[in-house]
Amino acid sequence: MSRFLVTRCICHDKSFEEIKGFAQENDITDVRELQALNYCSNSCRLCAPYVEMVLETGETEFTPGAYYGRK
């Protein structure tokens, strides 16, 4: 297992903790809403699956590839 965790949107330089707070404050429940606001996940989009998990679970740290194990 990797000792590194996925914790942020690199293109927008925002941690998943920041993204989670912004989403909660603005009643956002879908990554597409964040993308429409140009807040995160719309440059390289590699973090989009992780941001989806942030919004679904409230977690803010993930092992690389964690979204592959989702149901």
Side-chain angles (χ1 to χ4, degrees):
M1 183 183 315
S2 175
R3 64 185 176 115
F4 299 103
L5 295 175
V6 181
T7 61
R8 64 189 312 100
C9 172
I10 298 204
C11 296
H12 289 271
D13 194 27
K14 290 190 172 66
S15 72
F16 292 156
E17 193 68 44
E18 289 176 86
I19 294 168
K20 177 183 170 182
F22 180 83
Q24 288 173 336
E25 290 170 10
N26 294 282
D27 205 28
I28 294 172
T29 60
D30 188 273
V31 69
R32 290 174 293 208
E33 294 175 75
L34 293 166
Q35 291 169 328
L37 294 170
N38 198 34
Y39 190 78
C40 67
S41 302
N42 57 345
S43 291
C44 76
R45 296 186 178 156
L46 291 175
C47 70
Y50 295 101
V51 173
E52 285 180 18
M53 291 193 310
V54 168
L55 298 174
E56 290 173 10
T57 69
E59 295 178 49
T60 57
E61 296 182 338
F62 305 96
T63 56
Y67 55 88
Y68 289 118
R70 292 174 50 190
K71 293 181 180 180

